[in-house]
Amino acid sequence: MNDLKNKPILSSHLWVIYLLSIILLGFIWYFQWMLGLLMTLLLAASIYYSIRTERTLQNETEEYIATLSHRIKRVGEEALLEMPIGIILYNDDYFIEWANPYMNRFADEDTLVGKSINTLSDDLTSRIKESKDELWFNVEGYEFQTTIKKEERLLYLFDRTAQSEIQTLYQNEQTVLLIIFLDNYEEITQNMDDTLKSQLNSKVTSVLNNWAHDYGIYMKRTSQDRFLAVSTKEILDQLEKSKFDILDEVRELNAEQNIPITLSIGIGLGSVELPTLGELAQSSLDLALGRGGDQVAIKDEGGKVRFYGGRTNPMEKRTRVRARVISHALKELIKESDNVIIMGHKSPDMDSVGAAIGILNIAKTNGVEGYIVLDPDDVDTGVYRLVEGIKEDEELWEHFIDPEESEAVITSRSLIVVVDTHKPSMVSNQRLLSKSEYKVVIDHHRRAEEFIDNPTLVYMEPYASSTAELVTELLEYQPKSLKLKMLEATALLAGIIVDTKSFTLRTGSRTFDAASYLRSKGADTVLVQQFMKEDLDIYIKRSKLIERAEVYRDSIAISKGEPEEVYGGVLIAQAADTLLTMSGINASFVISERNDGRIGISARSLGEVNVQVIMEKMNGGGHLTNAATQIEDTTIEDAEALLKDIIEEYFAR
């Protein structure tokens, strides 16, 4: 406004024009005074008109600006006080100095002024102190998106309740596909008469239909042992809260009708197309079945998997058809390959070495060169005597190569056979997996989330006692042109005996069949006992480890190794086995430091506690009664605290 008052009457360009006009007027007066007089009058009139017009424009402009300033001030005041967003000023102590009327409606009294900012949300002060410019919090059912101006100590709160409700609705209404599979329906019903089979179908269908109706799930039977169901994310959340009690309901049919029927469910969810959702559901089902069945696997679009159930031991299959089919397929793959590279897991045990020797025999039987990858620096005391015995057989030992040598003999057409593990991070030489397109996985562990990419053939049977048992069955269906040597048969039998704790754990009829076959091929049980002998100092070390055990939750034994004392994986596993033989102990966990600097945990149970689920929470795995893990960047005390938290969470399920 001051600039307008100080502005000259005429603009500078008009002064220049009038100055030039006066100069020209002087010339006219000099030559023709009459004409000059007339022009002077006209010029004076022009100057007067210009001055008057300029003043009128200035007055109108001043009046407009004054009106506009008043309107802006009024609108600003109304916006500050009436607009539907919250504004809060707070002091250095995080007490509210001023709040607009929009926020005062959340006050117990008439105003928020003078109250702590935590009045709105309990942890609001700590969240404001974080290095964030924005946060979300809830006040009396309203969801606020809050912009923080730390220098001005100012908060802008935008009501996003409707947006949050729409987002929640979108999440809840996302489609979820479920593939429901009766694990052992075919085996159970193959010898049933039509009446019993019809009764079983009616009973199972009734239980599933009632369950689907209770939760609002659409379900359709697609085959004798398979159902397809469609649900929503909201319903899935309810199912997870119930821990999928349908598994228990179906399992209870076993008690009622003496029919060992169990259920597996594969679930796919995410904001993806329906075909992709179906693939996720099928992949989840494969994972659940690979882990032994009687459980639920849920996989989202990001590949993250979570499991429910899996508390029972998988049932042994009643048919050898699959073993024969796998054996034939393996034979064809071996014949088409340049050579066979066999490897087990790091720090191999009897089962890993024995199974590898069995696959080597299959390769030789089919006339293809085979190699077993074994790191001589990674041989534990548990297999030391077996390896020493193999070294005495030069013909057999020449097929053992270290990880570096294996990279020299592998080709793009080599067949890689992985035994006793399916995790790429655990194999003897992970780099080999990317050097050939042909990979076979033979394992008896329950399938974990980590798995070897794109295997050509997978033979995973969680019901089996050991991988050596599976390989022995494959040997039975191979050509008889090359006989199994005594040492090879003994190595396979040693793998079975060690993994079953001398036929006391996870032992089925097919385990004894495999052992009988190996005995017929010359397996020496006395030699097995010699391989399994241990040194006196190791026995004493294990006894001291057992002595440090404490009982947790009345029936769980937890033992910790001494700090900075290194224990081998076999030793802590043996300690866990021994603890399990104690009266009143249903599960045992042994924690110790390892040679590689990690903390190892070996877990055992009698079946009431699923140690596999517990170890999977710690990035490990195994079986329901036999599992383990290795943890990096932690201490024994921290590992014990984490283990106890997971055990508490397990029993809270």
Side-chain angles (χ1 to χ4, degrees):
M1 189 70 71
N2 290 332
D3 291 341
L4 288 172
K5 291 180 179 179
N6 296 329
K7 187 176 180 182
I9 297 175
L10 293 177
S11 301
S12 57
H13 69 284
L14 291 177
W15 283 113
V16 172
I17 292 172
Y18 287 136
L19 181 59
L20 292 175
S21 299
I22 292 171
I23 294 172
L24 292 174
L25 187 61
F27 283 104
I28 295 174
W29 272 89
Y30 180 77
F31 292 104
Q32 186 64 257
W33 68 270
M34 291 291 292
L35 183 58
L37 179 61
L38 177 61
M39 295 301 295
T40 299
L41 294 174
L42 292 174
L43 180 60
S46 176
I47 292 173
Y48 172 77
Y49 178 76
S50 296
I51 292 173
R52 183 178 177 182
T53 302
E54 285 289 319
R55 284 184 173 175
T56 301
L57 289 174
Q58 286 183 15
N59 292 335
E60 291 177 352
T61 302
E62 290 176 3
E63 183 180 352
Y64 172 76
I65 292 175
T67 303
L68 183 62
S69 298
H70 175 72
R71 291 177 62 197
I72 291 174
K73 183 178 180 181
R74 182 177 178 183
V75 169
E77 291 175 352
E78 289 187 1
L80 193 64
L81 299 175
E82 303 297 335
M83 70 188 310
I85 68 168
I87 304 174
I88 291 177
L89 284 171
Y90 59 90
N91 60 20
D92 292 334
D93 297 324
Y94 296 93
F95 279 81
I96 299 173
E97 292 183 327
W98 179 86
N100 67 339
Y102 180 83
M103 291 306 301
N104 285 331
R105 61 178 174 158
F106 297 105
D108 294 334
E109 302 173 0
D110 294 334
T111 180
L112 288 170
V113 175
K115 297 183 179 180
S116 171
I117 203 166
N118 285 337
T119 302
L120 298 174
S121 179
D122 293 337
D123 60 345
L124 190 54
T125 298
S126 59
R127 295 178 66 188
I128 291 175
K129 291 179 180 179
E130 297 175 0
S131 56
K132 296 180 180 178
D133 296 328
E134 184 178 284
L135 58 86
W136 289 67
F137 67 92
N138 187 282
V139 182
E140 297 181 8
Y142 289 85
E143 193 75 23
F144 283 107
Q145 177 187 4
T146 305
T147 301
I148 307 171
K149 300 291 184 180
K150 292 186 178 180
E151 293 184 1
E152 295 82 4
R153 298 192 297 277
L154 176 64
L155 301 179
Y156 292 108
L157 296 90
F158 301 92
D159 185 2
R160 295 288 185 261
T161 306
Q163 175 184 333
S164 180
E165 291 175 351
I166 293 172
Q167 186 174 355
T168 301
L169 181 63
Y170 169 75
Q171 293 291 338
N172 288 340
E173 294 301 318
Q174 281 188 348
T175 303
V176 174
L177 287 183
L178 302 86
I179 300 178
I180 303 169
F181 184 78
L182 301 178
D183 296 330
N184 40 1
Y185 178 85
E186 185 176 345
E187 289 82 6
I188 291 173
T189 58
Q190 63 181 356
N191 295 322
M192 280 186 177
D193 57 38
D194 292 341
T195 302
L196 289 176
K197 190 173 182 179
S198 177
Q199 291 176 354
L200 175 63
N201 277 326
S202 176
K203 192 70 175 179
V204 171
T205 303
S206 176
V207 170
L208 288 174
N209 282 336
N210 291 337
W211 170 74
H213 180 268
D214 290 342
Y215 285 97
I217 301 171
Y218 173 78
M219 187 180 69
K220 182 71 175 178
R221 191 167 196 159
T222 58
S223 65
Q224 289 293 321
D225 56 3
R226 190 177 294 255
F227 298 79
L228 179 65
V230 182
S231 176
T232 64
K233 179 65 169 56
E234 184 177 16
I235 296 174
L236 178 61
D237 291 339
Q238 297 174 16
L239 293 174
E240 292 192 68
K241 288 180 181 178
S242 72
K243 307 300 180 185
F244 287 90
D245 50 8
I246 184 63
L247 298 177
D248 299 325
E249 290 185 41
V250 173
R251 200 183 306 115
E252 286 173 1
L253 294 177
N254 183 15
E256 294 178 5
Q257 302 183 4
N258 198 26
I259 300 173
I261 192 80
T262 57
L263 200 68
S264 290
I265 304 176
I267 300 176
L269 76 153
S271 54
V272 294
E273 296 178 350
L274 286 177
T276 305
L277 208 59
E279 292 173 2
L280 289 173
Q282 183 60 54
S283 175
S284 299
L285 180 62
D286 293 341
L287 196 55
L289 294 175
R291 291 162 55 87
D294 189 26
Q295 57 193 283
V296 177
I298 306 172
K299 181 181 286 188
D300 59 26
E301 56 190 308
K304 186 177 179 181
V305 184
R306 52 187 184 271
F307 300 98
Y308 293 88
R311 294 186 176 224
T312 59
N313 269 318
M315 283 189 56
E316 180 176 355
K317 305 296 181 184
R318 298 184 181 179
T319 174
R320 291 177 175 267
V321 174
R322 189 175 181 217
R324 177 173 55 80
V325 171
I326 293 292
S327 182
H328 178 76
L330 180 60
K331 179 181 70 174
E332 296 301 319
L333 286 172
I334 289 174
K335 286 183 175 181
E336 295 175 2
S337 61
D338 292 340
N339 53 36
V340 180
I341 309 295
I342 310 155
M343 55 182 175
H345 51 76
K346 297 173 183 176
S347 301
D349 54 12
M350 291 282 196
D351 188 30
S352 177
V353 176
I357 291 174
I359 297 298
L360 175 66
N361 186 274
I362 294 176
K364 291 191 295 184
T365 299
N366 291 281
V368 178
E369 190 69 27
Y371 302 94
I372 298 175
V373 182
L374 180 70
D375 186 353
D377 298 326
D378 193 30
V379 175
D380 208 332
T381 54
V383 294
Y384 174 76
R385 288 182 174 80
L386 173 59
V387 173
E388 290 299 311
I390 294 171
K391 287 181 179 179
E392 295 177 3
D393 186 336
E394 295 183 1
E395 184 181 351
L396 179 58
W397 180 247
E398 68 181 9
H399 292 280
F400 283 77
I401 57 177
D402 59 41
E404 287 72 22
E405 291 178 301
S406 65
E407 297 186 32
V409 300
I410 193 170
T411 69
S412 60
R413 291 189 57 79
S414 292
L415 178 65
I416 299 174
V417 181
V418 177
V419 295
D420 204 30
T421 185
H422 56 267
K423 297 181 178 181
S425 61
M426 291 185 64
V427 298
S428 300
N429 188 348
Q430 188 173 349
R431 294 189 298 272
L432 294 181
L433 297 175
S434 61
K435 296 182 180 294
S436 176
E437 297 180 3
Y438 307 99
K439 297 181 282 286
V440 175
V441 178
I442 302 175
D443 191 15
H444 71 119
H445 296 101
R446 290 191 176 193
R447 180 167 174 168
E449 188 173 343
E450 181 187 2
F451 199 81
I452 292 172
D453 291 333
N454 303 317
T456 309
L457 182 65
V458 176
Y459 188 31
M460 288 185 64
E461 294 293 353
Y463 71 87
S465 68
S466 58
T467 308
E469 176 189 325
L470 297 176
V471 172
T472 300
E473 290 184 348
L474 298 181
L475 279 166
E476 295 183 49
Y477 296 103
Q478 291 294 316
K480 309 301 180 183
S481 57
L482 187 64
K483 295 187 179 298
L484 199 64
K485 292 183 178 180
M486 183 275 291
L487 181 59
E488 295 172 338
T490 302
L492 282 162
L493 182 60
I496 295 175
I497 290 176
V498 168
D499 269 27
T500 59
K501 304 297 179 289
S502 298
F503 300 100
T504 59
L505 296 176
R506 300 190 309 277
T507 303
S509 61
R510 290 174 68 174
T511 308
F512 290 106
D513 290 343
S516 176
Y517 172 81
L518 293 172
R519 282 286 289 147
S520 70
K521 296 300 179 181
D524 189 345
T525 54
V526 176
L527 186 57
V528 171
Q529 294 302 315
Q530 292 179 359
F531 288 154
M532 294 173 61
K533 282 186 177 181
E534 60 183 349
D535 297 330
L536 181 60
D537 58 340
I538 294 177
Y539 182 86
I540 295 173
K541 192 174 183 179
R542 185 176 69 245
S543 299
K544 290 182 178 179
L545 190 59
I546 295 170
E547 186 181 9
R548 294 172 59 86
E550 298 178 356
V551 178
Y552 181 69
R553 289 186 66 95
D554 299 329
S555 62
I556 298 175
I558 299 178
S559 175
K560 297 183 296 182
E562 296 181 5
E564 300 182 0
E565 180 76 23
V566 175
Y567 297 82
V570 174
L571 191 148
I572 65 172
Q574 291 172 342
D577 288 330
T578 304
L579 286 171
L580 201 59
T581 64
M582 303 301 170
S583 176
I585 300 300
N586 293 327
S588 61
F589 298 86
V590 180
I591 311 169
S592 75
E593 294 186 11
R594 292 167 46 94
N595 290 322
D596 55 12
R598 295 185 292 178
I599 300 298
I601 303 179
S602 187
R604 299 291 186 270
S605 84
L606 295 175
E608 294 182 15
V609 179
N610 188 339
V611 292
Q612 179 206 6
V613 173
I614 295 174
M615 289 295 96
E616 283 182 338
K617 294 284 187 179
M618 305 179 77
N619 297 320
H623 294 277
L624 182 144
T625 59
N626 183 337
T629 189
Q630 296 86 42
I631 311 174
E632 296 180 352
D633 302 325
T634 189
T635 63
I636 292 178
E637 288 72 20
D638 291 341
E640 181 190 24
L642 177 60
L643 174 63
K644 288 182 177 179
D645 289 342
I646 294 173
I647 291 174
E648 291 298 328
E649 181 183 345
Y650 173 84
F651 281 102
R653 293 169 58 182

